[in-house]
Amino acid sequence: MRPTVHDIAAAAGVSLATVDRVLNQRPGVRHVTREKVETAIRELGYVRDVAAANLAKGRTYPLVFILPASDNSFMHGLNAEIRQAVLRSSAERTDIRTIEVPAFDPAALVSVLEGLSREKPCGIALVATDAPEVRAAVDRLVRERFPIVTLVSDLTGSLRHHYAGVDNIAAGRTAARLLGRFLGSRKGEIAVLAGSMLVRDHRERLEGFAAVMAEEFPALAILPVLEGRDDPEVAHMLVADALSRHASIIGVYSLGAGNRGLIRALKEKAVDRVLTVIAHELTAHTRAALIDNTIDAILNQDAGHEVRSAIRVLKAKADGLAVIEAQERIRLDIFLKDNLP
Amino acid sequence: MRPTVHDIAAAAGVSLATVDRVLNQRPGVRHVTREKVETAIRELGYVRDVAAANLAKGRTYPLVFILPASDNSFMHGLNAEIRQAVLRSSAERTDIRTIEVPAFDPAALVSVLEGLSREKPCGIALVATDAPEVRAAVDRLVRERFPIVTLVSDLTGSLRHHYAGVDNIAAGRTAARLLGRFLGSRKGEIAVLAGSMLVRDHRERLEGFAAVMAEEFPALAILPVLEGRDDPEVAHMLVADALSRHASIIGVYSLGAGNRGLIRALKEKAVDRVLTVIAHELTAHTRAALIDNTIDAILNQDAGHEVRSAIRVLKAKADGLAVIEAQERIRLDIFLKDNLP
DNA sequence: GATTTTTTGATTTACGTACATCAAAATTGG
DNA sequence: CCAATTTTGATGTACGTAAATCAAAAAATC
């Protein structure tokens, strides 16, 4: 049986009220007494029963999710997962609010973050835009003791407590190796379609991709990156154009969103040639393209896992509890047509 | 605010005691009264606060894990994850007991299962041996209202509530496509190393593998399956022998355990040829082999996820609650040397 | 040593549920 | 219609913690 507050009170030779004062850092306890209690807590290995405490406090966890207002499948999916989490709110004692900010706009993100100081949520999850002022705003909030996790896109070098997203450098490297191995000994050019080189996750994917390509597959040359702004129309135009101009393209790596346009371009322009294509994010479109062999592999991050993980971590941090690291590691899913969920 | 028992009592125009009798299916409630209460519950959308209920009951969840006594890295890992779960027992209110049974021995498994009727755990997780008598024993326990999940290896056609493991047919198919694509246009023979064709998960992997090979990669011929009994020594002998006799082996698929022996054989016998190798289960040995290019890809199931998922599902079933399906789907991890955790 | 201040103890209520007891009411059987 | 039985209500205690109140004790100040 795990020890209760009564056990500590008895062990420390103090009253229940004093134990309560120590546990909830209320004033009016002499230093020596506080130490006696803390010793008892340590020796008995007491851990507060969070369920009972939450019941007594009537506690809820007000959480804020800050997302970019991007109109692509992945962000829609992320939003949907947050709505699912909202449906579970009463059971999980959460109270989730989402705030949309203009995409790629550090100033807007910073102003939202600054507004949160007054709102006092017990945790914040944000899709980070990688900029010094954002980093500074996050660090400020962390110093004010707000639990903060970055979602999908990290903010390296900041004080955020946790990152709920995939390792994008590893994702890029993995894409490169898959593409290289699938192409075998063929020689040719590789087109890379990105959203924007201003977003950290895209930059990192490209970095990992280029590194492995250079190290291991020198017969494959990477063409200048096409920046499709995660927009299907732009992506379509850029890819169609690239395919027309370079007859020697034998592989494509799409590391951002807007794959609808990519797929259309491939079907129009590449019927006569054998292209190996790797794309990110499993959506209705990419799934169909994987099945009909337009795409050869899809790398994916599971938005549901990211959202649930962010919530678990924020709650744990708010309670000062440890997280199960292995459980919170967001994995890179690799889908071939055979292991689709 | 979510409704409480008091709210239902008021809404149904009955006392708290009656609500309690209905909720906990205690006797002494007239049929019409019971219906009134149930209507109120439905209309207010009442859901019992599990945390408060468990607090009041002092409830713990006695769970039993039944594992085969196999001496391989995967089972050791699974055991380790269960021990980790035991460490979290007090926080999660679980009380976990593991029982080891001889591997591949349906009779032993059945007798353990039958013993559980008396022990009355609130949930059972087992690594199923695929046999009719096991199926019958599981079905019997399900009918006695024990929540049961199969772990790692499923028992299709039984009444088990849930399967916490990967789709092994999909795993085999994925292995085949990876191997086929990595080998490109090369022609040759493929060696398959399994543990035993008596185990369902191995049979399923082979089935998926053979199907895709036949459909999509006719230039590759599968040699008769080597059954290494998940034993490194046996595996070493079988693979070394096969490599000596068949000069045309260009690929290997190891779908079971005992990869230590496989790796040794590859290093001894295949230094002079280019082999593409796909293996299951990420262990210290397979990880090292992936990094030094002896193995090209590793398919993995995360034992930690399987154990945590089994526990979550068993607890939910014991409480009659729904599970988050997407969260409990055990994914097939594909590791290249670039995305190792 | 008396007074003020700080620290501690004792006790109570609450959270939402479970469970037990006893009395009161309603229903049933004869 | 009375008695026996079933059903319902009222009430209290418990789980482990939070939070508040008020009195008592101890320590610090003059």
mmCIF file with all atom_site columns, all heavy atoms in Angstrom, chain A residues 192-203:
data_model
loop_
_atom_site.group_PDB
_atom_site.id
_atom_site.type_symbol
_atom_site.label_atom_id
_atom_site.label_alt_id
_atom_site.label_comp_id
_atom_site.label_asym_id
_atom_site.label_entity_id
_atom_site.label_seq_id
_atom_site.pdbx_PDB_ins_code
_atom_site.Cartn_x
_atom_site.Cartn_y
_atom_site.Cartn_z
_atom_site.occupancy
_atom_site.B_iso_or_equiv
_atom_site.pdbx_formal_charge
_atom_site.auth_seq_id
_atom_site.auth_comp_id
_atom_site.auth_asym_id
_atom_site.auth_atom_id
_atom_site.pdbx_PDB_model_num
ATOM 1  N N   . VAL A 1 192 ? 13.414 18.039 -55.868 1.00 0.00 ? 192 VAL A N   1
ATOM 2  C CA  . VAL A 1 192 ? 12.946 18.156 -54.492 1.00 0.00 ? 192 VAL A CA  1
ATOM 3  C C   . VAL A 1 192 ? 11.904 19.261 -54.417 1.00 0.00 ? 192 VAL A C   1
ATOM 4  O O   . VAL A 1 192 ? 12.153 20.390 -54.844 1.00 0.00 ? 192 VAL A O   1
ATOM 5  C CB  . VAL A 1 192 ? 14.112 18.478 -53.527 1.00 0.00 ? 192 VAL A CB  1
ATOM 6  C CG1 . VAL A 1 192 ? 13.579 18.712 -52.119 1.00 0.00 ? 192 VAL A CG1 1
ATOM 7  C CG2 . VAL A 1 192 ? 15.126 17.348 -53.531 1.00 0.00 ? 192 VAL A CG2 1
ATOM 8  N N   . LEU A 1 193 ? 10.742 18.895 -53.895 1.00 0.00 ? 193 LEU A N   1
ATOM 9  C CA  . LEU A 1 193 ? 9.663  19.870 -53.728 1.00 0.00 ? 193 LEU A CA  1
ATOM 10 C C   . LEU A 1 193 ? 9.484  20.145 -52.244 1.00 0.00 ? 193 LEU A C   1
ATOM 11 O O   . LEU A 1 193 ? 9.220  19.229 -51.461 1.00 0.00 ? 193 LEU A O   1
ATOM 12 C CB  . LEU A 1 193 ? 8.360  19.311 -54.313 1.00 0.00 ? 193 LEU A CB  1
ATOM 13 C CG  . LEU A 1 193 ? 7.103  20.144 -54.074 1.00 0.00 ? 193 LEU A CG  1
ATOM 14 C CD1 . LEU A 1 193 ? 7.179  21.473 -54.820 1.00 0.00 ? 193 LEU A CD1 1
ATOM 15 C CD2 . LEU A 1 193 ? 5.851  19.378 -54.495 1.00 0.00 ? 193 LEU A CD2 1
ATOM 16 N N   . ALA A 1 194 ? 9.647  21.404 -51.855 1.00 0.00 ? 194 ALA A N   1
ATOM 17 C CA  . ALA A 1 194 ? 9.481  21.778 -50.456 1.00 0.00 ? 194 ALA A CA  1
ATOM 18 C C   . ALA A 1 194 ? 8.373  22.801 -50.334 1.00 0.00 ? 194 ALA A C   1
ATOM 19 O O   . ALA A 1 194 ? 7.854  23.300 -51.338 1.00 0.00 ? 194 ALA A O   1
ATOM 20 C CB  . ALA A 1 194 ? 10.783 22.341 -49.902 1.00 0.00 ? 194 ALA A CB  1
ATOM 21 N N   . GLY A 1 195 ? 7.985  23.109 -49.109 1.00 0.00 ? 195 GLY A N   1
ATOM 22 C CA  . GLY A 1 195 ? 6.998  24.167 -48.902 1.00 0.00 ? 195 GLY A CA  1
ATOM 23 C C   . GLY A 1 195 ? 7.716  25.504 -48.929 1.00 0.00 ? 195 GLY A C   1
ATOM 24 O O   . GLY A 1 195 ? 7.534  26.328 -49.809 1.00 0.00 ? 195 GLY A O   1
ATOM 25 N N   . SER A 1 196 ? 8.581  25.666 -47.956 1.00 0.00 ? 196 SER A N   1
ATOM 26 C CA  . SER A 1 196 ? 9.341  26.904 -47.873 1.00 0.00 ? 196 SER A CA  1
ATOM 27 C C   . SER A 1 196 ? 10.608 26.638 -47.088 1.00 0.00 ? 196 SER A C   1
ATOM 28 O O   . SER A 1 196 ? 10.593 25.916 -46.093 1.00 0.00 ? 196 SER A O   1
ATOM 29 C CB  . SER A 1 196 ? 8.522  27.983 -47.175 1.00 0.00 ? 196 SER A CB  1
ATOM 30 O OG  . SER A 1 196 ? 9.373  29.001 -46.713 1.00 0.00 ? 196 SER A OG  1
ATOM 31 N N   . MET A 1 197 ? 11.679 27.211 -47.530 1.00 0.00 ? 197 MET A N   1
ATOM 32 C CA  . MET A 1 197 ? 12.944 27.029 -46.808 1.00 0.00 ? 197 MET A CA  1
ATOM 33 C C   . MET A 1 197 ? 12.999 27.910 -45.556 1.00 0.00 ? 197 MET A C   1
ATOM 34 O O   . MET A 1 197 ? 13.986 27.925 -44.839 1.00 0.00 ? 197 MET A O   1
ATOM 35 C CB  . MET A 1 197 ? 14.128 27.340 -47.739 1.00 0.00 ? 197 MET A CB  1
ATOM 36 C CG  . MET A 1 197 ? 14.440 26.212 -48.709 1.00 0.00 ? 197 MET A CG  1
ATOM 37 S SD  . MET A 1 197 ? 14.811 24.642 -47.879 1.00 0.00 ? 197 MET A SD  1
ATOM 38 C CE  . MET A 1 197 ? 13.336 23.709 -48.175 1.00 0.00 ? 197 MET A CE  1
ATOM 39 N N   . LEU A 1 198 ? 11.912 28.633 -45.315 1.00 0.00 ? 198 LEU A N   1
ATOM 40 C CA  . LEU A 1 198 ? 11.855 29.457 -44.102 1.00 0.00 ? 198 LEU A CA  1
ATOM 41 C C   . LEU A 1 198 ? 11.351 28.648 -42.913 1.00 0.00 ? 198 LEU A C   1
ATOM 42 O O   . LEU A 1 198 ? 11.430 29.082 -41.772 1.00 0.00 ? 198 LEU A O   1
ATOM 43 C CB  . LEU A 1 198 ? 10.926 30.655 -44.310 1.00 0.00 ? 198 LEU A CB  1
ATOM 44 C CG  . LEU A 1 198 ? 11.383 31.666 -45.372 1.00 0.00 ? 198 LEU A CG  1
ATOM 45 C CD1 . LEU A 1 198 ? 10.316 32.715 -45.606 1.00 0.00 ? 198 LEU A CD1 1
ATOM 46 C CD2 . LEU A 1 198 ? 12.694 32.306 -44.928 1.00 0.00 ? 198 LEU A CD2 1
ATOM 47 N N   . VAL A 1 199 ? 10.809 27.459 -43.161 1.00 0.00 ? 199 VAL A N   1
ATOM 48 C CA  . VAL A 1 199 ? 10.290 26.640 -42.076 1.00 0.00 ? 199 VAL A CA  1
ATOM 49 C C   . VAL A 1 199 ? 11.359 25.646 -41.654 1.00 0.00 ? 199 VAL A C   1
ATOM 50 O O   . VAL A 1 199 ? 11.985 25.002 -42.492 1.00 0.00 ? 199 VAL A O   1
ATOM 51 C CB  . VAL A 1 199 ? 9.034  25.869 -42.517 1.00 0.00 ? 199 VAL A CB  1
ATOM 52 C CG1 . VAL A 1 199 ? 8.211  25.492 -41.300 1.00 0.00 ? 199 VAL A CG1 1
ATOM 53 C CG2 . VAL A 1 199 ? 8.212  26.696 -43.471 1.00 0.00 ? 199 VAL A CG2 1
ATOM 54 N N   . ARG A 1 200 ? 11.524 25.552 -40.372 1.00 0.00 ? 200 ARG A N   1
ATOM 55 C CA  . ARG A 1 200 ? 12.612 24.742 -39.865 1.00 0.00 ? 200 ARG A CA  1
ATOM 56 C C   . ARG A 1 200 ? 12.491 23.269 -40.277 1.00 0.00 ? 200 ARG A C   1
ATOM 57 O O   . ARG A 1 200 ? 13.482 22.645 -40.673 1.00 0.00 ? 200 ARG A O   1
ATOM 58 C CB  . ARG A 1 200 ? 12.666 24.831 -38.346 1.00 0.00 ? 200 ARG A CB  1
ATOM 59 C CG  . ARG A 1 200 ? 13.775 23.982 -37.801 1.00 0.00 ? 200 ARG A CG  1
ATOM 60 C CD  . ARG A 1 200 ? 13.970 24.147 -36.313 1.00 0.00 ? 200 ARG A CD  1
ATOM 61 N NE  . ARG A 1 200 ? 15.312 23.686 -36.011 1.00 0.00 ? 200 ARG A NE  1
ATOM 62 C CZ  . ARG A 1 200 ? 16.340 24.471 -35.896 1.00 0.00 ? 200 ARG A CZ  1
ATOM 63 N NH1 . ARG A 1 200 ? 16.212 25.774 -36.033 1.00 0.00 ? 200 ARG A NH1 1
ATOM 64 N NH2 . ARG A 1 200 ? 17.535 23.967 -35.633 1.00 0.00 ? 200 ARG A NH2 1
ATOM 65 N N   . ASP A 1 201 ? 11.276 22.708 -40.141 1.00 0.00 ? 201 ASP A N   1
ATOM 66 C CA  . ASP A 1 201 ? 11.177 21.274 -40.424 1.00 0.00 ? 201 ASP A CA  1
ATOM 67 C C   . ASP A 1 201 ? 11.522 20.967 -41.878 1.00 0.00 ? 201 ASP A C   1
ATOM 68 O O   . ASP A 1 201 ? 12.165 19.962 -42.182 1.00 0.00 ? 201 ASP A O   1
ATOM 69 C CB  . ASP A 1 201 ? 9.810  20.695 -40.012 1.00 0.00 ? 201 ASP A CB  1
ATOM 70 C CG  . ASP A 1 201 ? 8.634  21.538 -40.454 1.00 0.00 ? 201 ASP A CG  1
ATOM 71 O OD1 . ASP A 1 201 ? 8.860  22.644 -40.972 1.00 0.00 ? 201 ASP A OD1 1
ATOM 72 O OD2 . ASP A 1 201 ? 7.489  21.096 -40.269 1.00 0.00 ? 201 ASP A OD2 1
ATOM 73 N N   . HIS A 1 202 ? 11.140 21.849 -42.793 1.00 0.00 ? 202 HIS A N   1
ATOM 74 C CA  . HIS A 1 202 ? 11.481 21.608 -44.198 1.00 0.00 ? 202 HIS A CA  1
ATOM 75 C C   . HIS A 1 202 ? 12.978 21.745 -44.427 1.00 0.00 ? 202 HIS A C   1
ATOM 76 O O   . HIS A 1 202 ? 13.586 20.943 -45.131 1.00 0.00 ? 202 HIS A O   1
ATOM 77 C CB  . HIS A 1 202 ? 10.698 22.582 -45.090 1.00 0.00 ? 202 HIS A CB  1
ATOM 78 C CG  . HIS A 1 202 ? 9.230  22.279 -45.146 1.00 0.00 ? 202 HIS A CG  1
ATOM 79 N ND1 . HIS A 1 202 ? 8.381  22.818 -46.072 1.00 0.00 ? 202 HIS A ND1 1
ATOM 80 C CD2 . HIS A 1 202 ? 8.476  21.454 -44.377 1.00 0.00 ? 202 HIS A CD2 1
ATOM 81 C CE1 . HIS A 1 202 ? 7.160  22.362 -45.872 1.00 0.00 ? 202 HIS A CE1 1
ATOM 82 N NE2 . HIS A 1 202 ? 7.193  21.537 -44.841 1.00 0.00 ? 202 HIS A NE2 1
ATOM 83 N N   . ARG A 1 203 ? 13.568 22.754 -43.806 1.00 0.00 ? 203 ARG A N   1
ATOM 84 C CA  . ARG A 1 203 ? 15.015 22.918 -43.952 1.00 0.00 ? 203 ARG A CA  1
ATOM 85 C C   . ARG A 1 203 ? 15.743 21.684 -43.444 1.00 0.00 ? 203 ARG A C   1
ATOM 86 O O   . ARG A 1 203 ? 16.680 21.185 -44.057 1.00 0.00 ? 203 ARG A O   1
ATOM 87 C CB  . ARG A 1 203 ? 15.487 24.128 -43.154 1.00 0.00 ? 203 ARG A CB  1
ATOM 88 C CG  . ARG A 1 203 ? 15.380 25.446 -43.877 1.00 0.00 ? 203 ARG A CG  1
ATOM 89 C CD  . ARG A 1 203 ? 16.478 26.426 -43.432 1.00 0.00 ? 203 ARG A CD  1
ATOM 90 N NE  . ARG A 1 203 ? 16.679 26.450 -41.996 1.00 0.00 ? 203 ARG A NE  1
ATOM 91 C CZ  . ARG A 1 203 ? 15.935 27.150 -41.137 1.00 0.00 ? 203 ARG A CZ  1
ATOM 92 N NH1 . ARG A 1 203 ? 14.928 27.872 -41.596 1.00 0.00 ? 203 ARG A NH1 1
ATOM 93 N NH2 . ARG A 1 203 ? 16.193 27.122 -39.861 1.00 0.00 ? 203 ARG A NH2 1
#
